[in-house]
Amino acid sequence: MTAVKFLQRYLPILEWGRTYNRSVLADDALAALIVTIMLIPQSLAYALLAGLPMEMGLYASILPLVAYALFGTSRALAVGPVAVVSLMTAASVGNMALQGTAEYAFAAMTLAFLSGLILLATGLFRLGFLANFLSHPVIAGFITASGLLIASSQLKHVLGIPASGHTLVEILHSLASNAADTNPVTLVIGLASIVFLFWVRKGLKPLLRRFGLSDGLCDVLAKAGPVLAVAVTTVVTWGFGLDGKGVAIVGAVPQGLPPVTIPSFDLDLWTSLAGSAVLISIIGFVESVSVAQTLAAKKRQRIVPDQELIGLGASNIASSLTGGYPVTGGFARSVVNFDAGAQTPAAGAFTAVGILLAALLLTPLLYFLPKATLAATIIVAVLSLVDFSILRFTWGYSKADFAAVAATILLTLGFGVEVGMSVGVGLSILLFLYRTSRPHIAEVGCVPGTQHFRNINRHKVLTDPAVLTIRVDESLYFANARYLEDYILDRVVGDEGLRHVILMCSAVNEIDSSALESLEAINHRLQDMGIRLHLSEVKGPVMDRLQRTDFLSELSGEVFLSQYHAMTAMSEVCGKSGKQGKKLVDAAD
Amino acid sequence: MTAVKFLQRYLPILEWGRTYNRSVLADDALAALIVTIMLIPQSLAYALLAGLPMEMGLYASILPLVAYALFGTSRALAVGPVAVVSLMTAASVGNMALQGTAEYAFAAMTLAFLSGLILLATGLFRLGFLANFLSHPVIAGFITASGLLIASSQLKHVLGIPASGHTLVEILHSLASNAADTNPVTLVIGLASIVFLFWVRKGLKPLLRRFGLSDGLCDVLAKAGPVLAVAVTTVVTWGFGLDGKGVAIVGAVPQGLPPVTIPSFDLDLWTSLAGSAVLISIIGFVESVSVAQTLAAKKRQRIVPDQELIGLGASNIASSLTGGYPVTGGFARSVVNFDAGAQTPAAGAFTAVGILLAALLLTPLLYFLPKATLAATIIVAVLSLVDFSILRFTWGYSKADFAAVAATILLTLGFGVEVGMSVGVGLSILLFLYRTSRPHIAEVGCVPGTQHFRNINRHKVLTDPAVLTIRVDESLYFANARYLEDYILDRVVGDEGLRHVILMCSAVNEIDSSALESLEAINHRLQDMGIRLHLSEVKGPVMDRLQRTDFLSELSGEVFLSQYHAMTAMSEVCGKSGKQGKKLVDAAD
């Protein structure tokens, strides 16, 4: 690889940057403006969710976006703090330190650094495929359960009471025991914001369209709903002095550039954060890459998953070095970015400038912003993630998938995000292994007058008592090798008239060493019983491998190109169509 | 289930016991006599290997055999202490207590109890299939490495020096640093025993046969070699007073019935032993069930794996209650039992009587038995387990299997049995998942003049630039869903003439929810590009499931019964054979 190619591979900006012109810049700048307006309240709200000072949400939305613009391959992905990762940060860092302490913030920065290193290393070693081991239903279940956890965790701000906990039970119990102290003014602000924001989502767009506004403009205005809620409730709180009536406000947010920070290099802290960093990296990457892929496909563009890992890794390291916390590509804001016309990752860099200006200039205006408003924006945003339809769907489609989803949801709600996610992933892998360890095995017979062989339990077929044909609908490997052994020997023991067993291998994509040993054992045991073992329809690559072993020379029977060929060689039952059949088999040779 | 059936299922003795007669008894008794002679030195030697008092080896060979005779289903399996499980016991218990202390022996008994509970529960819940997740090469590698570890751990007795360690490096280092203290008399006894025992294995049989003895008798005499070595070296040591010259002897072994013991119920001890108990149970069960199955098949008998678990569980619990340690079915002694004519599990019970008599009467005779002789019997026995051919075989047959074996061997030697075994199992599962996550995908075309479709890279086939046919040789599930997505989209992007993509599903045995989502995504993205997605040769059970979803109605293309059908519907390239082909497809309908 030449130096130029190397740079082009790891710095995608070198590719799209070359064709950058004024028209693209205008598109990117407009998209950036709209995303900035959306991102300011989000950044504050997610920092609140993560239990961090508000300004850290803003800091996490500045340099990380520039880093992604340099290293990322998606043209539309908008990076920054997101709900689920903020929740996971709170769950992880909450074990190390108390919310509000400097240690807590420091641990969150270190978590971003670790997660960045993990993402970067995974990308450099091209291990992005590991994310494929998360099944979609498990992710869907996890996101739904996280949404519920997040919404319930924000109720305390709407009620104006203290509450804590990392599981649904803990949170609800904590809320219930403090419910008597509910602050009525806070509750009014919170509920009004929630109702308003839901209305903006559902009712505003039709209304605006009736006024003759274009569809795109309606969408953009609807996304500005949170900004309006923030502005109105801030003004009301300031005007009526509601902070004196028990309404919790954001208060002083430091004004200025993001600080330069150095994450901890304490081995103990790294050890305790490592597991969480892995989980955050996985979820962050999966969420991000799904959005990026969906948006890229719409323009027939491609993203490079391993380079995405590098982009996200760089973002998180940038976040940790400038007072931020873990970030990833957000779903809602990326869609807004895309719809608003973003053409290149430069839109992200321009958004960073927007947030930087907000950090420099706007923070004094946020002093009287009620926390209840921020909580309302979080609740409304995450409730759109909650979708139990995956339960109904998987129940009808695949009970194994249903089990994985149900376990993920219940464990996430009952034991927190880390347990829920880990068990969900483990369970979906175990269930897959379990299914392949008990493959579908059919005894087949000849469909009269044809060369086709079908399941004797489903079709009217011809069989010969001296010949047993078994079709295994799965690759043969260690986990199902003994199952096949048991199946065949159970079937054969006591069947005195049997002389031939044919194993029809049309669906066998691989035979590993263990399965080969099992086939050898089956061959020898059948031989001991005076029964010959034959194979039919063995695939090319499988046959190539078998030819490198002694198995074929030890096989008591033969290997036939087709099942029809095999059957006619040792039985008369397919006889009627025998002549025509023979010809066809020749043609297949 | 009636009470009778219930009893018959869980007490196989009720079945074979009914037809028990004098002739069977004679056969069983003879087999028992031969196994007893073989088992006495083995029991002592394996207790030495496990670091336990000699009598515990004998105790582990009495009641456990009776328990297995009641609950086991194999007619030939001989249960008792075995080499690998003894090594694993030493590795596990060695972490809890010092060898020679009462705590050490107590922990070994508790380990047997825990392992018994695990086996019993696994059998009652019919989870015996879990053992299938051990790939044969991993087991082979583990046994080979364990054999080496065991042999090296016994060298200290042959040299007459102290040494310790659970890994090859530790053991060899420990031996090397004490080598200067080697006791020459001990070394002579040890080496002489080793040479003699090897000669018995290789050279004695041909010699005896030359004297006209029958093959069977030769085998039995060869198995008595260790007894002869024990007798001769004991007499020599006693006659020449070699114990006074530094030869370590067995010394006083308590004479009498096995004691009644109660294992520990201390939760801390259970927690620390749990992992080892699981590993010992797995290895014990796998070793035992392989032997039992091999021997049963020779007589067209069947064993019931879940009932075997119950039998082995009962054995281990019996062992823990009578001063023994973990036991399982041994390979060598079961073969001897089988060859000597054992007809029923009663042979095991008779062996128990033999060992009981030895414990009652023979132990004083063992006072002067040199430990070097016992070590020699262990070394010669386990070196027959060492077989590196699995490395050569898997290297040629499957690199993934090779990687799993090599890792298992190296880690077992370098980090001990527990690490080696755990990583081996984990690695073989990961490698399987990895392979299925990157399935073989072929682009196929029509073999001229036929209805067959083959890989365009392997065969001369006809294709149409407007039609792309992709055959995936693997079930579609979460781990390969995105791979397929990436593959198809990468292939399609930029191919402007393309109008149809056909996914040929002849080797797809399952489509899980994640894969279904990916297919939906592929369908939508292709649609965005103006390309239709079709399926062909979808299997019955897969189609049944798809019909329960919206996928088929959303599919931009069609589902074809055969690939030929699909191709002729949208292209002329298979035209030449079109007419004949059509007829055949009709026949397949």
Side-chain angles (χ1 to χ4, degrees):
Chain A
M1 186 151 47
T2 64
V4 174
K5 278 206 173 165
F6 178 87
L7 281 176
Q8 274 179 345
R9 177 163 143 208
Y10 289 114
L11 283 172
I13 190 176
L14 295 178
E15 206 196 317
W16 58 261
R18 280 185 299 177
T19 56
Y20 208 75
N21 57 34
R22 196 178 296 179
S23 135
V24 178
L25 185 140
D27 285 346
D28 284 348
L30 178 67
L33 177 66
I34 294 168
V35 173
T36 304
I37 292 171
M38 178 182 177
L39 197 48
I40 294 173
Q42 270 195 4
S43 298
L44 302 172
Y46 292 146
L48 182 73
L49 168 58
L52 292 165
M54 302 290 159
E55 64 272 20
M56 283 184 74
L58 293 174
Y59 299 158
S61 307
I62 302 174
L63 208 65
L65 281 65
V66 179
Y68 183 82
L70 288 174
F71 295 102
T73 58
S74 165
R75 308 267 173 129
L77 195 72
V79 170
V82 305
V84 173
V85 167
S86 299
L87 176 72
M88 292 176 83
T89 301
S92 161
V93 175
N95 295 329
M96 317 279 124
L98 275 179
Q99 270 194 26
T101 62
E103 288 78 36
Y104 189 93
F106 193 48
M109 279 183 247
T110 307
L111 188 62
F113 186 71
L114 274 182
S115 168
L117 286 185
I118 292 168
L119 289 162
L120 204 60
T122 314
L124 290 173
F125 290 113
R126 301 172 159 249
L127 298 173
F129 71 88
L130 286 175
N132 298 339
F133 289 101
L134 272 89
S135 84
H136 296 202
V138 165
I139 299 171
F142 178 73
I143 298 285
T144 288
S146 302
L148 281 180
L149 274 186
I150 293 170
S152 63
S153 76
Q154 295 310 300
L155 284 178
K156 63 178 178 188
H157 295 300
V158 174
L159 298 169
I161 56 177
S164 62
H166 292 304
T167 71
L168 196 62
V169 176
E170 284 171 12
I171 293 169
L172 293 182
H173 182 261
S174 177
L175 285 172
S177 58
N178 295 323
D181 303 332
T182 300
N183 181 285
V185 188
T186 305
L187 185 60
V188 167
I189 293 175
L191 284 182
S193 301
I194 291 176
V195 170
F196 170 73
L197 290 168
F198 268 119
W199 174 77
V200 163
R201 291 204 161 215
K202 305 278 172 191
L204 181 63
K205 221 173 120 179
L207 190 74
L208 290 173
R209 214 179 291 151
R210 227 178 295 154
F211 284 104
L213 272 72
S214 80
D215 227 41
L217 191 59
C218 292
D219 273 337
V220 169
L221 284 176
K223 297 293 178 195
V227 174
L228 198 61
V230 163
V232 170
T233 55
T234 304
V235 169
V236 167
T237 307
W238 168 70
F240 294 92
L242 296 183
D243 54 318
K245 296 190 170 137
V247 173
I249 54 171
V250 164
V253 176
Q255 199 173 359
L257 289 170
V260 174
T261 50
I262 294 168
S264 165
F265 287 90
D266 175 38
L267 201 64
D268 282 347
L269 185 62
W270 279 38
T271 315
S272 9
L273 291 174
S276 311
V278 169
L279 291 177
I280 286 179
S281 304
I282 296 173
I283 275 291
F285 175 60
V286 168
E287 191 177 341
S288 193
V289 102
S290 329
V291 186
Q293 253 165 352
T294 309
L295 297 179
K298 293 199 179 184
K299 294 196 177 176
R300 277 208 182 203
Q301 294 165 347
R302 298 289 299 143
I303 61 155
V304 184
D306 283 325
Q307 183 63 30
E308 282 303 286
L309 282 164
I310 295 175
L312 292 174
S315 285
N316 275 290
I317 292 175
S319 192
S320 72
L321 298 177
T322 54
Y325 72 101
V327 295
T328 193
F331 178 72
R333 78 187 64 145
S334 299
V335 173
V336 169
N337 196 31
F338 181 86
D339 288 342
Q343 300 280 344
T344 73
F350 299 152
T351 305
V353 174
I355 304 284
L356 181 64
L357 290 175
L360 285 173
L361 309 172
L362 294 184
T363 52
L365 301 181
L366 299 170
Y367 189 91
F368 286 102
L369 169 57
K371 287 186 175 176
T373 310
L374 289 178
T377 66
I378 296 177
I379 290 172
V380 174
V382 297
L383 283 184
S384 70
L385 302 176
V386 175
D387 178 8
F388 284 105
S389 70
I390 188 71
L391 282 174
R392 195 168 30 79
F393 175 76
T394 52
W395 177 260
Y397 187 72
S398 158
K399 295 288 182 293
D401 284 335
F402 174 80
V405 180
T408 306
I409 292 179
L410 289 176
L411 290 170
T412 304
L413 292 178
F415 296 91
V417 278
E418 304 199 337
V419 173
M421 164 106 182
S422 314
V423 175
V425 172
L427 195 62
S428 55
I429 290 176
L430 283 180
L431 285 169
F432 168 73
L433 290 173
Y434 179 72
R435 290 201 305 278
T436 59
S437 79
R438 308 171 78 87
H440 181 241
I441 296 183
E443 213 171 290
V444 298
C446 185
V447 181
T450 74
Q451 300 177 21
H452 291 273
F453 288 77
R454 294 286 154 89
N455 194 333
I456 58 167
N457 295 323
R458 290 190 176 211
H459 302 267
K460 247 191 159 170
V461 291
L462 303 169
T463 54
D464 185 322
V467 184
L468 169 69
T469 304
I470 283 172
R471 193 192 71 214
V472 192
D473 287 346
E474 191 70 63
S475 290
L476 300 179
Y477 80 110
F478 59 87
N480 60 29
R482 197 184 293 282
Y483 182 82
L484 179 68
E485 243 178 285
D486 288 350
Y487 181 94
I488 292 183
L489 296 175
D490 271 339
R491 172 63 185 77
V492 161
V493 164
D495 188 345
E496 295 298 339
L498 201 60
R499 290 292 162 264
H500 301 277
V501 169
I502 309 171
L503 202 62
M504 186 174 163
C505 301
S506 47
V508 174
N509 302 312
E510 201 206 333
I511 295 178
D512 80 350
S513 308
S514 306
L516 181 66
E517 269 187 61
S518 279
L519 287 181
E520 284 169 353
I522 292 168
N523 182 42
H524 287 140
R525 289 179 196 177
L526 290 179
Q527 216 165 3
D528 288 347
M529 303 179 191
I531 299 171
R532 294 175 71 200
L533 175 68
H534 311 267
L535 306 181
S536 75
E537 309 204 356
V538 181
K539 300 197 170 196
V542 175
M543 198 64 190
D544 289 350
R545 272 202 186 174
L546 290 181
Q547 265 155 354
R548 277 184 263 146
T549 70
D550 301 332
F551 176 68
L552 295 178
S553 61
E554 281 172 20
L555 187 67
S556 59
E558 290 169 60
V559 180
F560 294 94
L561 186 74
S562 78
Q563 173 58 25
Y564 180 75
H565 220 149
M567 200 63 187
T568 46
M570 56 193 85
S571 169
E572 297 288 309
V573 294
C574 305
K576 280 172 208 163
S577 63
K579 247 184 173 170
Q580 195 205 342
K582 190 73 180 72
K583 219 171 102 201
L584 289 169
V585 170
D586 287 346
D589 287 329
Chain B
M1 186 152 48
T2 65
V4 174
K5 277 208 173 163
F6 179 86
L7 281 176
Q8 274 179 347
R9 179 165 139 206
Y10 289 113
L11 282 171
I13 190 175
L14 295 178
E15 206 197 316
W16 59 260
R18 280 184 302 177
T19 56
Y20 208 76
N21 57 35
R22 194 178 297 179
S23 135
V24 178
L25 184 139
D27 285 346
D28 283 348
L30 179 66
L33 178 66
I34 294 167
V35 174
T36 305
I37 292 171
M38 179 182 177
L39 198 47
I40 294 174
Q42 269 195 5
S43 298
L44 303 171
Y46 292 147
L48 182 74
L49 168 57
L52 293 165
M54 301 289 159
E55 64 272 19
M56 283 183 75
L58 293 173
Y59 299 157
S61 309
I62 302 175
L63 208 65
L65 281 67
V66 178
Y68 183 83
L70 289 174
F71 295 100
T73 58
S74 165
R75 307 268 174 128
L77 194 71
V79 170
V82 306
V84 173
V85 168
S86 299
L87 175 71
M88 291 176 84
T89 302
S92 161
V93 176
N95 295 329
M96 317 279 125
L98 273 179
Q99 268 195 27
T101 63
E103 288 77 36
Y104 188 92
F106 194 49
M109 279 182 246
T110 307
L111 188 63
F113 187 71
L114 274 183
S115 168
L117 286 185
I118 292 168
L119 289 162
L120 203 59
T122 314
L124 289 174
F125 290 111
R126 300 169 161 252
L127 298 173
F129 71 89
L130 285 176
N132 298 339
F133 288 101
L134 272 87
S135 84
H136 296 203
V138 165
I139 300 171
F142 178 73
I143 298 286
T144 288
S146 302
L148 281 181
L149 273 186
I150 294 170
S152 63
S153 77
Q154 294 309 302
L155 284 178
K156 64 178 177 188
H157 296 298
V158 175
L159 297 169
I161 56 176
S164 63
H166 293 302
T167 71
L168 196 62
V169 176
E170 283 172 13
I171 294 169
L172 293 182
H173 182 261
S174 177
L175 285 172
S177 57
N178 294 323
D181 304 332
T182 299
N183 181 286
V185 188
T186 305
L187 186 60
V188 168
I189 294 176
L191 284 182
S193 301
I194 291 175
V195 170
F196 170 74
L197 289 168
F198 268 119
W199 174 78
V200 163
R201 291 204 160 216
K202 305 279 172 188
L204 181 62
K205 222 174 119 178
L207 191 73
L208 290 173
R209 213 179 289 151
R210 227 179 295 153
F211 284 105
L213 273 71
S214 80
D215 226 40
L217 191 59
C218 292
D219 272 337
V220 169
L221 284 176
K223 298 293 177 192
V227 174
L228 198 62
V230 163
V232 170
T233 54
T234 304
V235 169
V236 167
T237 306
W238 167 72
F240 293 95
L242 297 183
D243 54 318
K245 296 192 171 136
V247 173
I249 55 171
V250 164
V253 177
Q255 198 173 1
L257 290 169
V260 174
T261 50
I262 294 169
S264 165
F265 288 89
D266 175 37
L267 199 66
D268 282 348
L269 185 62
W270 279 38
T271 315
S272 10
L273 290 174
S276 311
V278 169
L279 291 177
I280 286 180
S281 304
I282 295 173
I283 274 292
F285 175 61
V286 169
E287 189 175 344
S288 194
V289 103
S290 329
V291 186
Q293 252 165 352
T294 309
L295 297 178
K298 292 200 181 182
K299 293 195 174 176
R300 278 209 180 203
Q301 294 164 347
R302 297 290 296 143
I303 60 155
V304 185
D306 284 324
Q307 183 62 29
E308 282 302 287
L309 283 164
I310 295 174
L312 292 175
S315 285
N316 276 290
I317 292 174
S319 191
S320 71
L321 298 178
T322 53
Y325 72 101
V327 295
T328 193
F331 179 73
R333 81 188 60 146
S334 298
V335 173
V336 169
N337 196 31
F338 181 86
D339 288 343
Q343 300 281 342
T344 74
F350 300 151
T351 306
V353 174
I355 304 284
L356 181 64
L357 291 175
L360 285 174
L361 308 172
L362 294 186
T363 53
L365 301 182
L366 299 170
Y367 188 92
F368 287 101
L369 169 57
K371 288 184 174 177
T373 310
L374 288 178
T377 68
I378 295 176
I379 290 171
V380 174
V382 297
L383 283 183
S384 70
L385 302 177
V386 175
D387 179 7
F388 285 104
S389 69
I390 188 70
L391 282 174
R392 195 166 32 78
F393 174 76
T394 51
W395 177 259
Y397 186 71
S398 156
K399 295 289 182 292
D401 284 335
F402 173 81
V405 180
T408 306
I409 293 180
L410 289 176
L411 290 169
T412 304
L413 293 178
F415 295 91
V417 278
E418 305 199 336
V419 173
M421 164 108 181
S422 313
V423 175
V425 172
L427 195 62
S428 55
I429 290 176
L430 283 181
L431 285 169
F432 168 72
L433 290 173
Y434 178 72
R435 289 201 305 278
T436 60
S437 79
R438 310 172 76 87
H440 181 240
I441 296 182
E443 212 171 294
V444 297
C446 186
V447 180
T450 74
Q451 300 178 20
H452 290 273
F453 288 76
R454 295 286 155 88
N455 194 333
I456 57 166
N457 295 324
R458 289 189 178 214
H459 301 267
K460 247 194 161 169
V461 291
L462 303 168
T463 53
D464 186 322
V467 184
L468 169 68
T469 303
I470 283 172
R471 193 191 71 213
V472 191
D473 288 346
E474 191 70 63
S475 290
L476 300 180
Y477 79 112
F478 60 87
N480 59 28
R482 197 183 293 281
Y483 182 80
L484 179 67
E485 244 178 284
D486 288 349
Y487 182 92
I488 292 183
L489 295 177
D490 270 339
R491 172 63 185 77
V492 162
V493 164
D495 188 345
E496 295 297 338
L498 202 59
R499 290 293 162 263
H500 301 277
V501 169
I502 309 172
L503 201 62
M504 184 175 166
C505 301
S506 48
V508 174
N509 302 312
E510 203 207 334
I511 295 178
D512 80 351
S513 309
S514 306
L516 181 65
E517 269 186 62
S518 279
L519 287 180
E520 284 169 352
I522 292 169
N523 182 41
H524 288 138
R525 289 181 194 175
L526 290 180
Q527 216 164 2
D528 288 347
M529 302 179 192
I531 299 172
R532 294 176 70 199
L533 176 69
H534 311 267
L535 305 181
S536 75
E537 309 204 354
V538 182
K539 301 198 168 194
V542 175
M543 198 64 190
D544 289 351
R545 272 200 183 176
L546 290 181
Q547 264 154 356
R548 279 185 262 147
T549 69
D550 302 330
F551 176 67
L552 296 178
S553 61
E554 281 172 20
L555 187 66
S556 58
E558 292 170 58
V559 180
F560 293 94
L561 187 75
S562 78
Q563 172 59 26
Y564 181 73
H565 221 147
M567 200 63 188
T568 46
M570 55 193 86
S571 170
E572 298 287 309
V573 296
C574 306
K576 279 173 209 161
S577 63
K579 245 184 172 170
Q580 194 205 344
K582 191 74 182 69
K583 218 171 101 202
L584 290 169
V585 171
D586 287 345
D589 287 328

